[in-house]
PDB file of all heavy atoms in Angstrom:
ATOM      1  N   ARG A   1     -58.629  59.801 198.375  1.00  0.00           N
ATOM      2  CA  ARG A   1     -59.508  60.975 198.497  1.00  0.00           C
ATOM      3  C   ARG A   1     -58.861  62.158 197.698  1.00  0.00           C
ATOM      4  O   ARG A   1     -59.487  63.124 197.379  1.00  0.00           O
ATOM      5  CB  ARG A   1     -59.704  61.364 199.962  1.00  0.00           C
ATOM      6  CG  ARG A   1     -60.500  60.268 200.734  1.00  0.00           C
ATOM      7  CD  ARG A   1     -60.451  60.584 202.153  1.00  0.00           C
ATOM      8  NE  ARG A   1     -60.646  59.396 202.871  1.00  0.00           N
ATOM      9  CZ  ARG A   1     -60.585  59.172 204.149  1.00  0.00           C
ATOM     10  NH1 ARG A   1     -60.385  60.205 204.919  1.00  0.00           N
ATOM     11  NH2 ARG A   1     -60.782  58.049 204.858  1.00  0.00           N
ATOM     12  N   LEU A   2     -57.485  62.128 197.400  1.00  0.00           N
ATOM     13  CA  LEU A   2     -56.932  63.088 196.628  1.00  0.00           C
ATOM     14  C   LEU A   2     -56.961  62.688 195.160  1.00  0.00           C
ATOM     15  O   LEU A   2     -56.340  63.503 194.359  1.00  0.00           O
ATOM     16  CB  LEU A   2     -55.506  63.299 197.097  1.00  0.00           C
ATOM     17  CG  LEU A   2     -55.292  63.920 198.461  1.00  0.00           C
ATOM     18  CD1 LEU A   2     -53.879  63.952 199.012  1.00  0.00           C
ATOM     19  CD2 LEU A   2     -55.676  65.431 198.373  1.00  0.00           C
ATOM     20  N   GLY A   3     -57.551  61.574 194.911  1.00  0.00           N
ATOM     21  CA  GLY A   3     -57.537  61.159 193.421  1.00  0.00           C
ATOM     22  C   GLY A   3     -56.333  60.639 192.880  1.00  0.00           C
ATOM     23  O   GLY A   3     -56.108  60.532 191.599  1.00  0.00           O
ATOM     24  N   ILE A   4     -55.397  60.143 193.755  1.00  0.00           N
ATOM     25  CA  ILE A   4     -54.144  59.483 193.317  1.00  0.00           C
ATOM     26  C   ILE A   4     -54.313  57.951 193.290  1.00  0.00           C
ATOM     27  O   ILE A   4     -54.656  57.367 194.277  1.00  0.00           O
ATOM     28  CB  ILE A   4     -52.929  59.921 194.239  1.00  0.00           C
ATOM     29  CG1 ILE A   4     -52.709  61.386 194.232  1.00  0.00           C
ATOM     30  CG2 ILE A   4     -51.777  59.276 193.895  1.00  0.00           C
ATOM     31  CD1 ILE A   4     -51.765  62.003 195.222  1.00  0.00           C
ATOM     32  N   LYS A   5     -54.045  57.451 192.119  1.00  0.00           N
ATOM     33  CA  LYS A   5     -54.198  55.943 192.021  1.00  0.00           C
ATOM     34  C   LYS A   5     -52.843  55.171 192.140  1.00  0.00           C
ATOM     35  O   LYS A   5     -51.747  55.912 192.092  1.00  0.00           O
ATOM     36  CB  LYS A   5     -54.770  55.583 190.501  1.00  0.00           C
ATOM     37  CG  LYS A   5     -56.176  56.227 190.304  1.00  0.00           C
ATOM     38  CD  LYS A   5     -56.671  55.767 189.025  1.00  0.00           C
ATOM     39  CE  LYS A   5     -58.111  56.362 188.789  1.00  0.00           C
ATOM     40  NZ  LYS A   5     -59.090  55.881 189.776  1.00  0.00           N
ATOM     41  N   LEU A   6     -52.956  53.991 192.389  1.00  0.00           N
ATOM     42  CA  LEU A   6     -51.788  53.099 192.643  1.00  0.00           C
ATOM     43  C   LEU A   6     -50.893  52.884 191.304  1.00  0.00           C
ATOM     44  O   LEU A   6     -51.528  53.140 190.201  1.00  0.00           O
ATOM     45  CB  LEU A   6     -52.114  51.787 193.215  1.00  0.00           C
ATOM     46  CG  LEU A   6     -52.849  51.806 194.598  1.00  0.00           C
ATOM     47  CD1 LEU A   6     -53.319  50.371 195.001  1.00  0.00           C
ATOM     48  CD2 LEU A   6     -52.013  52.512 195.674  1.00  0.00           C
ATOM     49  N   GLY A   7     -49.782  52.404 191.443  1.00  0.00           N
ATOM     50  CA  GLY A   7     -48.928  52.119 190.279  1.00  0.00           C
ATOM     51  C   GLY A   7     -47.808  53.265 190.152  1.00  0.00           C
ATOM     52  O   GLY A   7     -47.695  53.893 189.230  1.00  0.00           O
ATOM     53  N   PHE A   8     -47.070  53.398 191.314  1.00  0.00           N
ATOM     54  CA  PHE A   8     -46.166  54.520 191.420  1.00  0.00           C
ATOM     55  C   PHE A   8     -44.807  54.328 190.827  1.00  0.00           C
ATOM     56  O   PHE A   8     -43.999  55.155 190.581  1.00  0.00           O
ATOM     57  CB  PHE A   8     -45.918  54.961 192.919  1.00  0.00           C
ATOM     58  CG  PHE A   8     -47.204  55.088 193.654  1.00  0.00           C
ATOM     59  CD1 PHE A   8     -47.466  54.254 194.818  1.00  0.00           C
ATOM     60  CD2 PHE A   8     -48.087  55.993 193.280  1.00  0.00           C
ATOM     61  CE1 PHE A   8     -48.589  54.431 195.638  1.00  0.00           C
ATOM     62  CE2 PHE A   8     -49.315  56.076 193.983  1.00  0.00           C
ATOM     63  CZ  PHE A   8     -49.541  55.333 195.052  1.00  0.00           C
ATOM     64  N   GLY A   9     -44.468  52.964 190.595  1.00  0.00           N
ATOM     65  CA  GLY A   9     -43.110  52.671 190.168  1.00  0.00           C
ATOM     66  C   GLY A   9     -42.086  53.186 191.204  1.00  0.00           C
ATOM     67  O   GLY A   9     -42.201  53.012 192.340  1.00  0.00           O
ATOM     68  N   GLU A  10     -41.057  53.884 190.666  1.00  0.00           N
ATOM     69  CA  GLU A  10     -39.978  54.361 191.614  1.00  0.00           C
ATOM     70  C   GLU A  10     -40.238  55.909 191.770  1.00  0.00           C
ATOM     71  O   GLU A  10     -39.165  56.479 192.273  1.00  0.00           O
ATOM     72  CB  GLU A  10     -38.606  54.060 191.026  1.00  0.00           C
ATOM     73  CG  GLU A  10     -38.330  52.594 190.826  1.00  0.00           C
ATOM     74  CD  GLU A  10     -38.423  51.797 192.150  1.00  0.00           C
ATOM     75  OE1 GLU A  10     -37.775  52.278 193.167  1.00  0.00           O
ATOM     76  OE2 GLU A  10     -39.067  50.701 192.175  1.00  0.00           O
ATOM     77  N   ARG A  11     -41.311  56.415 191.392  1.00  0.00           N
ATOM     78  CA  ARG A  11     -41.382  57.887 191.548  1.00  0.00           C
ATOM     79  C   ARG A  11     -41.562  58.435 192.882  1.00  0.00           C
ATOM     80  O   ARG A  11     -42.157  57.687 193.845  1.00  0.00           O
ATOM     81  CB  ARG A  11     -42.556  58.350 190.697  1.00  0.00           C
ATOM     82  CG  ARG A  11     -42.411  57.997 189.145  1.00  0.00           C
ATOM     83  CD  ARG A  11     -43.378  58.689 188.272  1.00  0.00           C
ATOM     84  NE  ARG A  11     -44.621  58.273 188.480  1.00  0.00           N
ATOM     85  CZ  ARG A  11     -45.287  57.123 188.010  1.00  0.00           C
ATOM     86  NH1 ARG A  11     -44.438  56.185 187.361  1.00  0.00           N
ATOM     87  NH2 ARG A  11     -46.390  56.732 188.268  1.00  0.00           N
ATOM     88  N   THR A  12     -41.149  59.674 193.162  1.00  0.00           N
ATOM     89  CA  THR A  12     -41.113  60.169 194.436  1.00  0.00           C
ATOM     90  C   THR A  12     -42.501  60.824 194.781  1.00  0.00           C
ATOM     91  O   THR A  12     -43.384  60.930 193.906  1.00  0.00           O
ATOM     92  CB  THR A  12     -40.077  61.394 194.625  1.00  0.00           C
ATOM     93  OG1 THR A  12     -40.498  62.361 193.678  1.00  0.00           O
ATOM     94  CG2 THR A  12     -38.673  60.916 194.189  1.00  0.00           C
ATOM     95  N   VAL A  13     -42.652  61.214 196.056  1.00  0.00           N
ATOM     96  CA  VAL A  13     -43.824  61.833 196.606  1.00  0.00           C
ATOM     97  C   VAL A  13     -44.130  63.101 195.633  1.00  0.00           C
ATOM     98  O   VAL A  13     -45.258  63.378 195.199  1.00  0.00           O
ATOM     99  CB  VAL A  13     -43.808  62.165 197.968  1.00  0.00           C
ATOM    100  CG1 VAL A  13     -44.910  63.067 198.525  1.00  0.00           C
ATOM    101  CG2 VAL A  13     -43.709  60.915 198.922  1.00  0.00           C
ATOM    102  N   GLU A  14     -43.133  63.893 195.457  1.00  0.00           N
ATOM    103  CA  GLU A  14     -43.274  65.114 194.697  1.00  0.00           C
ATOM    104  C   GLU A  14     -43.676  64.879 193.301  1.00  0.00           C
ATOM    105  O   GLU A  14     -44.566  65.626 192.778  1.00  0.00           O
ATOM    106  CB  GLU A  14     -41.938  65.989 194.848  1.00  0.00           C
ATOM    107  CG  GLU A  14     -42.120  67.270 194.188  1.00  0.00           C
ATOM    108  CD  GLU A  14     -40.834  68.224 194.542  1.00  0.00           C
ATOM    109  OE1 GLU A  14     -39.819  67.663 194.594  1.00  0.00           O
ATOM    110  OE2 GLU A  14     -40.983  69.448 194.689  1.00  0.00           O
ATOM    111  N   GLU A  15     -43.070  63.866 192.741  1.00  0.00           N
ATOM    112  CA  GLU A  15     -43.410  63.586 191.329  1.00  0.00           C
ATOM    113  C   GLU A  15     -44.807  63.185 191.033  1.00  0.00           C
ATOM    114  O   GLU A  15     -45.548  63.553 190.204  1.00  0.00           O
ATOM    115  CB  GLU A  15     -42.447  62.475 190.831  1.00  0.00           C
ATOM    116  CG  GLU A  15     -41.045  62.978 190.612  1.00  0.00           C
ATOM    117  CD  GLU A  15     -39.958  61.948 190.324  1.00  0.00           C
ATOM    118  OE1 GLU A  15     -40.257  60.777 190.682  1.00  0.00           O
ATOM    119  OE2 GLU A  15     -38.989  62.235 189.731  1.00  0.00           O
ATOM    120  N   ILE A  16     -45.303  62.317 192.076  1.00  0.00           N
ATOM    121  CA  ILE A  16     -46.638  61.692 192.051  1.00  0.00           C
ATOM    122  C   ILE A  16     -47.618  62.881 192.284  1.00  0.00           C
ATOM    123  O   ILE A  16     -48.724  63.012 191.552  1.00  0.00           O
ATOM    124  CB  ILE A  16     -46.824  60.654 193.018  1.00  0.00           C
ATOM    125  CG1 ILE A  16     -46.008  59.364 192.702  1.00  0.00           C
ATOM    126  CG2 ILE A  16     -48.341  60.179 193.219  1.00  0.00           C
ATOM    127  CD1 ILE A  16     -46.403  58.707 191.396  1.00  0.00           C
ATOM    128  N   CYS A  17     -47.302  63.779 193.153  1.00  0.00           N
ATOM    129  CA  CYS A  17     -48.191  64.950 193.471  1.00  0.00           C
ATOM    130  C   CYS A  17     -48.316  65.685 192.217  1.00  0.00           C
ATOM    131  O   CYS A  17     -49.436  66.205 191.886  1.00  0.00           O
ATOM    132  CB  CYS A  17     -47.815  65.640 194.705  1.00  0.00           C
ATOM    133  SG  CYS A  17     -48.180  64.836 196.340  1.00  0.00           S
ATOM    134  N   LEU A  18     -47.257  66.018 191.632  1.00  0.00           N
ATOM    135  CA  LEU A  18     -47.117  66.914 190.469  1.00  0.00           C
ATOM    136  C   LEU A  18     -47.959  66.271 189.270  1.00  0.00           C
ATOM    137  O   LEU A  18     -48.724  66.981 188.638  1.00  0.00           O
ATOM    138  CB  LEU A  18     -45.704  67.154 189.975  1.00  0.00           C
ATOM    139  CG  LEU A  18     -45.444  68.139 188.877  1.00  0.00           C
ATOM    140  CD1 LEU A  18     -45.919  69.498 189.243  1.00  0.00           C
ATOM    141  CD2 LEU A  18     -44.007  68.060 188.443  1.00  0.00           C
ATOM    142  N   GLU A  19     -47.779  65.003 189.155  1.00  0.00           N
ATOM    143  CA  GLU A  19     -48.514  64.262 188.015  1.00  0.00           C
ATOM    144  C   GLU A  19     -50.022  64.381 188.214  1.00  0.00           C
ATOM    145  O   GLU A  19     -50.863  64.447 187.257  1.00  0.00           O
ATOM    146  CB  GLU A  19     -48.188  62.820 187.846  1.00  0.00           C
ATOM    147  CG  GLU A  19     -46.722  62.635 187.326  1.00  0.00           C
ATOM    148  CD  GLU A  19     -46.320  61.072 187.386  1.00  0.00           C
ATOM    149  OE1 GLU A  19     -47.176  60.219 187.599  1.00  0.00           O
ATOM    150  OE2 GLU A  19     -45.173  60.839 187.213  1.00  0.00           O
ATOM    151  N   ASN A  20     -50.500  64.425 189.586  1.00  0.00           N
ATOM    152  CA  ASN A  20     -51.871  64.439 189.786  1.00  0.00           C
ATOM    153  C   ASN A  20     -52.474  65.747 190.068  1.00  0.00           C
ATOM    154  O   ASN A  20     -53.562  65.829 190.559  1.00  0.00           O
ATOM    155  CB  ASN A  20     -52.233  63.356 190.921  1.00  0.00           C
ATOM    156  CG  ASN A  20     -51.977  61.974 190.438  1.00  0.00           C
ATOM    157  OD1 ASN A  20     -52.928  61.246 190.071  1.00  0.00           O
ATOM    158  ND2 ASN A  20     -50.736  61.352 190.666  1.00  0.00           N
ATOM    159  N   GLY A  21     -51.706  66.797 189.956  1.00  0.00           N
ATOM    160  CA  GLY A  21     -52.207  68.145 190.127  1.00  0.00           C
ATOM    161  C   GLY A  21     -52.447  68.416 191.692  1.00  0.00           C
ATOM    162  O   GLY A  21     -53.368  69.157 191.985  1.00  0.00           O
ATOM    163  N   VAL A  22     -51.758  67.855 192.575  1.00  0.00           N
ATOM    164  CA  VAL A  22     -51.890  67.882 193.982  1.00  0.00           C
ATOM    165  C   VAL A  22     -50.775  68.716 194.670  1.00  0.00           C
ATOM    166  O   VAL A  22     -49.602  68.374 194.339  1.00  0.00           O
ATOM    167  CB  VAL A  22     -52.157  66.573 194.772  1.00  0.00           C
ATOM    168  CG1 VAL A  22     -52.239  66.686 196.227  1.00  0.00           C
ATOM    169  CG2 VAL A  22     -53.319  65.799 194.151  1.00  0.00           C
ATOM    170  N   ASN A  23     -51.061  69.710 195.401  1.00  0.00           N
ATOM    171  CA  ASN A  23     -50.135  70.405 196.096  1.00  0.00           C
ATOM    172  C   ASN A  23     -49.317  69.602 197.033  1.00  0.00           C
ATOM    173  O   ASN A  23     -49.845  68.968 197.994  1.00  0.00           O
ATOM    174  CB  ASN A  23     -50.666  71.689 196.864  1.00  0.00           C
ATOM    175  CG  ASN A  23     -49.745  72.438 197.651  1.00  0.00           C
ATOM    176  OD1 ASN A  23     -49.197  72.014 198.734  1.00  0.00           O
ATOM    177  ND2 ASN A  23     -49.306  73.550 197.162  1.00  0.00           N
ATOM    178  N   CYS A  24     -47.962  69.403 196.843  1.00  0.00           N
ATOM    179  CA  CYS A  24     -47.177  68.449 197.611  1.00  0.00           C
ATOM    180  C   CYS A  24     -47.174  68.757 199.115  1.00  0.00           C
ATOM    181  O   CYS A  24     -47.220  67.793 200.049  1.00  0.00           O
ATOM    182  CB  CYS A  24     -45.864  68.326 197.036  1.00  0.00           C
ATOM    183  SG  CYS A  24     -44.888  66.955 197.729  1.00  0.00           S
ATOM    184  N   ASP A  25     -47.099  69.953 199.508  1.00  0.00           N
ATOM    185  CA  ASP A  25     -47.040  70.475 200.840  1.00  0.00           C
ATOM    186  C   ASP A  25     -48.384  70.091 201.557  1.00  0.00           C
ATOM    187  O   ASP A  25     -48.390  69.707 202.699  1.00  0.00           O
ATOM    188  CB  ASP A  25     -46.841  71.916 200.970  1.00  0.00           C
ATOM    189  CG  ASP A  25     -45.364  72.276 200.535  1.00  0.00           C
ATOM    190  OD1 ASP A  25     -44.390  71.821 201.218  1.00  0.00           O
ATOM    191  OD2 ASP A  25     -45.235  72.985 199.626  1.00  0.00           O
ATOM    192  N   THR A  26     -49.468  70.162 200.831  1.00  0.00           N
ATOM    193  CA  THR A  26     -50.775  69.861 201.383  1.00  0.00           C
ATOM    194  C   THR A  26     -50.848  68.395 201.657  1.00  0.00           C
ATOM    195  O   THR A  26     -51.349  67.976 202.725  1.00  0.00           O
ATOM    196  CB  THR A  26     -51.913  70.261 200.394  1.00  0.00           C
ATOM    197  OG1 THR A  26     -51.754  71.600 200.054  1.00  0.00           O
ATOM    198  CG2 THR A  26     -53.253  69.981 201.040  1.00  0.00           C
ATOM    199  N   PHE A  27     -50.459  67.515 200.690  1.00  0.00           N
ATOM    200  CA  PHE A  27     -50.388  66.162 200.832  1.00  0.00           C
ATOM    201  C   PHE A  27     -49.494  65.677 202.083  1.00  0.00           C
ATOM    202  O   PHE A  27     -49.944  64.961 202.894  1.00  0.00           O
ATOM    203  CB  PHE A  27     -49.726  65.353 199.572  1.00  0.00           C
ATOM    204  CG  PHE A  27     -49.409  63.971 199.877  1.00  0.00           C
ATOM    205  CD1 PHE A  27     -50.471  63.019 199.895  1.00  0.00           C
ATOM    206  CD2 PHE A  27     -48.188  63.468 200.099  1.00  0.00           C
ATOM    207  CE1 PHE A  27     -50.265  61.672 200.172  1.00  0.00           C
ATOM    208  CE2 PHE A  27     -47.874  62.187 200.305  1.00  0.00           C
ATOM    209  CZ  PHE A  27     -48.888  61.200 200.389  1.00  0.00           C
ATOM    210  N   LEU A  28     -48.306  66.352 202.289  1.00  0.00           N
ATOM    211  CA  LEU A  28     -47.527  65.988 203.433  1.00  0.00           C
ATOM    212  C   LEU A  28     -48.112  66.398 204.732  1.00  0.00           C
ATOM    213  O   LEU A  28     -47.979  65.743 205.720  1.00  0.00           O
ATOM    214  CB  LEU A  28     -46.104  66.657 203.228  1.00  0.00           C
ATOM    215  CG  LEU A  28     -45.317  66.120 202.136  1.00  0.00           C
ATOM    216  CD1 LEU A  28     -44.016  67.036 201.969  1.00  0.00           C
ATOM    217  CD2 LEU A  28     -44.891  64.698 202.347  1.00  0.00           C
ATOM    218  N   LEU A  29     -48.772  67.484 204.684  1.00  0.00           N
ATOM    219  CA  LEU A  29     -49.555  67.853 205.937  1.00  0.00           C
ATOM    220  C   LEU A  29     -50.491  66.866 206.316  1.00  0.00           C
ATOM    221  O   LEU A  29     -50.642  66.382 207.604  1.00  0.00           O
ATOM    222  CB  LEU A  29     -50.305  69.266 205.796  1.00  0.00           C
ATOM    223  CG  LEU A  29     -49.430  70.490 205.913  1.00  0.00           C
ATOM    224  CD1 LEU A  29     -50.287  71.756 205.471  1.00  0.00           C
ATOM    225  CD2 LEU A  29     -49.018  70.679 207.384  1.00  0.00           C
ATOM    226  N   ILE A  30     -51.373  66.428 205.528  1.00  0.00           N
ATOM    227  CA  ILE A  30     -52.378  65.498 205.754  1.00  0.00           C
ATOM    228  C   ILE A  30     -51.793  64.079 206.156  1.00  0.00           C
ATOM    229  O   ILE A  30     -52.087  63.533 207.100  1.00  0.00           O
ATOM    230  CB  ILE A  30     -53.319  65.268 204.469  1.00  0.00           C
ATOM    231  CG1 ILE A  30     -53.985  66.622 204.134  1.00  0.00           C
ATOM    232  CG2 ILE A  30     -54.304  64.099 204.765  1.00  0.00           C
ATOM    233  CD1 ILE A  30     -54.777  66.557 202.888  1.00  0.00           C
ATOM    234  N   ALA A  31     -50.705  63.668 205.410  1.00  0.00           N
ATOM    235  CA  ALA A  31     -50.062  62.408 205.663  1.00  0.00           C
ATOM    236  C   ALA A  31     -49.530  62.414 206.966  1.00  0.00           C
ATOM    237  O   ALA A  31     -49.498  61.376 207.727  1.00  0.00           O
ATOM    238  CB  ALA A  31     -49.103  62.107 204.534  1.00  0.00           C
ATOM    239  N   ASN A  32     -48.858  63.448 207.492  1.00  0.00           N
ATOM    240  CA  ASN A  32     -48.221  63.606 208.685  1.00  0.00           C
ATOM    241  C   ASN A  32     -49.282  63.415 209.911  1.00  0.00           C
ATOM    242  O   ASN A  32     -48.894  62.954 210.949  1.00  0.00           O
ATOM    243  CB  ASN A  32     -47.428  64.824 208.936  1.00  0.00           C
ATOM    244  CG  ASN A  32     -45.929  64.660 208.295  1.00  0.00           C
ATOM    245  OD1 ASN A  32     -45.271  63.734 208.706  1.00  0.00           O
ATOM    246  ND2 ASN A  32     -45.592  65.498 207.382  1.00  0.00           N
ATOM    247  N   VAL A  33     -50.414  64.008 209.660  1.00  0.00           N
ATOM    248  CA  VAL A  33     -51.495  63.951 210.706  1.00  0.00           C
ATOM    249  C   VAL A  33     -51.837  62.487 210.944  1.00  0.00           C
ATOM    250  O   VAL A  33     -52.013  62.045 212.002  1.00  0.00           O
ATOM    251  CB  VAL A  33     -52.633  64.676 210.279  1.00  0.00           C
ATOM    252  CG1 VAL A  33     -53.946  64.428 211.254  1.00  0.00           C
ATOM    253  CG2 VAL A  33     -52.357  66.256 210.305  1.00  0.00           C
ATOM    254  N   TYR A  34     -51.951  61.706 209.848  1.00  0.00           N
ATOM    255  CA  TYR A  34     -52.273  60.236 209.989  1.00  0.00           C
ATOM    256  C   TYR A  34     -51.049  59.487 210.465  1.00  0.00           C
ATOM    257  O   TYR A  34     -51.331  58.485 211.254  1.00  0.00           O
ATOM    258  CB  TYR A  34     -52.612  59.621 208.561  1.00  0.00           C
ATOM    259  CG  TYR A  34     -54.200  59.903 208.148  1.00  0.00           C
ATOM    260  CD1 TYR A  34     -54.514  61.071 207.673  1.00  0.00           C
ATOM    261  CD2 TYR A  34     -54.925  58.925 208.438  1.00  0.00           C
ATOM    262  CE1 TYR A  34     -55.867  61.339 207.420  1.00  0.00           C
ATOM    263  CE2 TYR A  34     -56.348  59.065 208.157  1.00  0.00           C
ATOM    264  CZ  TYR A  34     -56.764  60.206 207.668  1.00  0.00           C
ATOM    265  OH  TYR A  34     -58.090  60.462 207.270  1.00  0.00           O
ATOM    266  N   ALA A  35     -49.857  59.712 210.104  1.00  0.00           N
ATOM    267  CA  ALA A  35     -48.704  58.915 210.454  1.00  0.00           C
ATOM    268  C   ALA A  35     -48.046  59.283 211.805  1.00  0.00           C
ATOM    269  O   ALA A  35     -47.354  58.423 212.277  1.00  0.00           O
ATOM    270  CB  ALA A  35     -47.767  59.026 209.213  1.00  0.00           C
ATOM    271  N   THR A  36     -48.294  60.491 212.218  1.00  0.00           N
ATOM    272  CA  THR A  36     -47.527  61.013 213.514  1.00  0.00           C
ATOM    273  C   THR A  36     -48.463  61.338 214.461  1.00  0.00           C
ATOM    274  O   THR A  36     -49.153  62.367 214.294  1.00  0.00           O
ATOM    275  CB  THR A  36     -46.583  62.169 213.010  1.00  0.00           C
ATOM    276  OG1 THR A  36     -45.819  61.865 211.920  1.00  0.00           O
ATOM    277  CG2 THR A  36     -45.708  62.592 214.263  1.00  0.00           C
ATOM    278  N   GLU A  37     -48.465  60.606 215.621  1.00  0.00           N
ATOM    279  CA  GLU A  37     -49.273  60.909 216.715  1.00  0.00           C
ATOM    280  C   GLU A  37     -48.907  62.337 217.285  1.00  0.00           C
ATOM    281  O   GLU A  37     -47.715  62.462 217.534  1.00  0.00           O
ATOM    282  CB  GLU A  37     -49.083  59.901 217.849  1.00  0.00           C
ATOM    283  CG  GLU A  37     -50.225  59.872 218.864  1.00  0.00           C
ATOM    284  CD  GLU A  37     -51.632  59.529 218.219  1.00  0.00           C
ATOM    285  OE1 GLU A  37     -51.596  58.778 217.325  1.00  0.00           O
ATOM    286  OE2 GLU A  37     -52.562  59.982 218.860  1.00  0.00           O
ATOM    287  N   GLY A  38     -49.894  63.118 217.578  1.00  0.00           N
ATOM    288  CA  GLY A  38     -49.644  64.456 218.174  1.00  0.00           C
ATOM    289  C   GLY A  38     -48.949  65.469 217.224  1.00  0.00           C
ATOM    290  O   GLY A  38     -48.310  66.426 217.646  1.00  0.00           O
ATOM    291  N   TYR A  39     -49.012  65.191 215.943  1.00  0.00           N
ATOM    292  CA  TYR A  39     -48.398  66.019 214.923  1.00  0.00           C
ATOM    293  C   TYR A  39     -48.851  67.519 214.993  1.00  0.00           C
ATOM    294  O   TYR A  39     -50.064  67.759 214.951  1.00  0.00           O
ATOM    295  CB  TYR A  39     -48.515  65.419 213.610  1.00  0.00           C
ATOM    296  CG  TYR A  39     -47.950  66.286 212.436  1.00  0.00           C
ATOM    297  CD1 TYR A  39     -46.622  66.491 212.224  1.00  0.00           C
ATOM    298  CD2 TYR A  39     -48.840  66.899 211.505  1.00  0.00           C
ATOM    299  CE1 TYR A  39     -46.069  67.241 211.180  1.00  0.00           C
ATOM    300  CE2 TYR A  39     -48.233  67.844 210.540  1.00  0.00           C
ATOM    301  CZ  TYR A  39     -46.962  67.958 210.425  1.00  0.00           C
ATOM    302  OH  TYR A  39     -46.429  68.668 209.372  1.00  0.00           O
ATOM    303  N   VAL A  40     -47.997  68.352 215.089  1.00  0.00           N
ATOM    304  CA  VAL A  40     -48.313  69.881 215.095  1.00  0.00           C
ATOM    305  C   VAL A  40     -47.552  70.358 213.765  1.00  0.00           C
ATOM    306  O   VAL A  40     -46.382  70.544 213.752  1.00  0.00           O
ATOM    307  CB  VAL A  40     -47.790  70.578 216.381  1.00  0.00           C
ATOM    308  CG1 VAL A  40     -48.216  72.002 216.232  1.00  0.00           C
ATOM    309  CG2 VAL A  40     -48.499  69.914 217.496  1.00  0.00           C
ATOM    310  N   PRO A  41     -48.251  70.867 212.781  1.00  0.00           N
ATOM    311  CA  PRO A  41     -47.514  71.446 211.539  1.00  0.00           C
ATOM    312  C   PRO A  41     -46.909  72.645 211.877  1.00  0.00           C
ATOM    313  O   PRO A  41     -47.380  73.476 212.595  1.00  0.00           O
ATOM    314  CB  PRO A  41     -48.738  71.444 210.537  1.00  0.00           C
ATOM    315  CG  PRO A  41     -49.940  71.543 211.400  1.00  0.00           C
ATOM    316  CD  PRO A  41     -49.694  70.776 212.700  1.00  0.00           C
ATOM    317  N   SER A  42     -45.835  73.010 211.174  1.00  0.00           N
ATOM    318  CA  SER A  42     -45.175  74.101 211.167  1.00  0.00           C
ATOM    319  C   SER A  42     -45.979  75.371 210.540  1.00  0.00           C
ATOM    320  O   SER A  42     -46.600  75.014 209.525  1.00  0.00           O
ATOM    321  CB  SER A  42     -43.684  74.126 210.809  1.00  0.00           C
ATOM    322  OG  SER A  42     -43.710  74.004 209.278  1.00  0.00           O
ATOM    323  N   PRO A  43     -45.825  76.620 211.027  1.00  0.00           N
ATOM    324  CA  PRO A  43     -46.402  77.705 210.308  1.00  0.00           C
ATOM    325  C   PRO A  43     -45.909  77.788 208.741  1.00  0.00           C
ATOM    326  O   PRO A  43     -46.744  78.053 207.956  1.00  0.00           O
ATOM    327  CB  PRO A  43     -46.084  78.920 211.072  1.00  0.00           C
ATOM    328  CG  PRO A  43     -45.815  78.419 212.451  1.00  0.00           C
ATOM    329  CD  PRO A  43     -45.231  77.045 212.238  1.00  0.00           C
ATOM    330  N   GLY A  44     -44.746  77.529 208.590  1.00  0.00           N
ATOM    331  CA  GLY A  44     -44.277  77.551 207.239  1.00  0.00           C
ATOM    332  C   GLY A  44     -44.916  76.668 206.298  1.00  0.00           C
ATOM    333  O   GLY A  44     -45.283  76.873 205.240  1.00  0.00           O
TER     334      GLY A  44
END
């Protein structure tokens, strides 16, 4: 849904987000909602 395709190699989350023009903090927020039950994001 963020338009990121497979084929990451050894690149990091931040590198993949940067390559695809996606704000990395936004990706981590969304990913944590899916991966962590009862996740409450920090104000920061």
Side-chain angles (χ1 to χ4, degrees):
R1 294 169 208 175
L2 288 170
I4 300 175
K5 297 186 181 297
L6 301 177
F8 310 123
E10 299 300 314
R11 297 191 297 282
T12 66
V13 169
E14 187 171 30
E15 288 170 337
I16 294 297
C17 286
L18 184 62
E19 288 175 15
N20 288 273
V22 175
N23 179 280
C24 190
D25 292 298
T26 308
F27 169 77
L28 288 174
L29 275 175
I30 297 168
N32 272 306
V33 169
Y34 274 83
T36 309
E37 195 65 34
Y39 175 69
V40 179
S42 69

